Amino acid sequence: MSVDFKVARKNMLESQVRTNDVSDKKLIEAILKTPREEFTNGDKNFAYAEIELPTASGRNIMKARDFSKLAQAAGVTEGAEVLVIGGASLYSAAIFAEIGAKVTVIDTVDCAFDGVTTVKGDIATLKEVSDKKFDVVFVDGAVETIPTEWFAAVKDGGNLALFKYENGRSSGLLYVISGNTHSYRSLFEANVSKLSELNAKKEFVF
């Protein structure tokens, strides 16, 4: 029996997004317009289940609940310059582009999506995009360590949103950049796939 993806998308929105305190109108509209099933190379019948989805890039699409809560905290708005680190699944980038943001994806693998700038490069040092600063830096996976370069990529007053992995769980964190300093708050716990390239051997800021 075939799945009606439009109905499944609406059901996901109601049961996994709205019920988890996500109320940002533009974010909700973008999720409703973006066909999650088109981004996975797995069984499309499970595209709207409460699971992470595999993609051909090797990156996973987050659960709708985890993505939407972190995306809402990140505060992506129309016209904002957004960098998605490890975003080769392209689903997060597509949502932000639908909101009207100017989106750049950097990842270690090739990827492409209409209306999104994609860069193959070092997701730790961000050297390929080091000449730019962004209103929002959104990390599309959990990390054990946070490179200092990620803070440097954010404009003054901008946000860095990510999942920090520790002791088998991931915590959503929002860093607000102010000059050469930053503050952060812990948002919620989740279970998010890690970006395997990141490790503790380099110098990092926690």
Side-chain angles (χ1 to χ4, degrees), residues 136-150:
V136 175
V137 173
F138 184 91
V139 185
D140 217 358
V143 296
E144 295 186 19
T145 47
I146 307 172
T148 56
E149 290 88 344
W150 291 5

Side-chain angles (χ1 to χ4, degrees), residues 166-183:
E166 192 171 23
N167 299 323
R169 293 289 291 175
S170 303
S171 297
L173 303 179
L174 181 70
Y175 290 85
V176 179
I177 309 305
S178 178
N180 294 322
T181 64
H182 61 264
S183 60

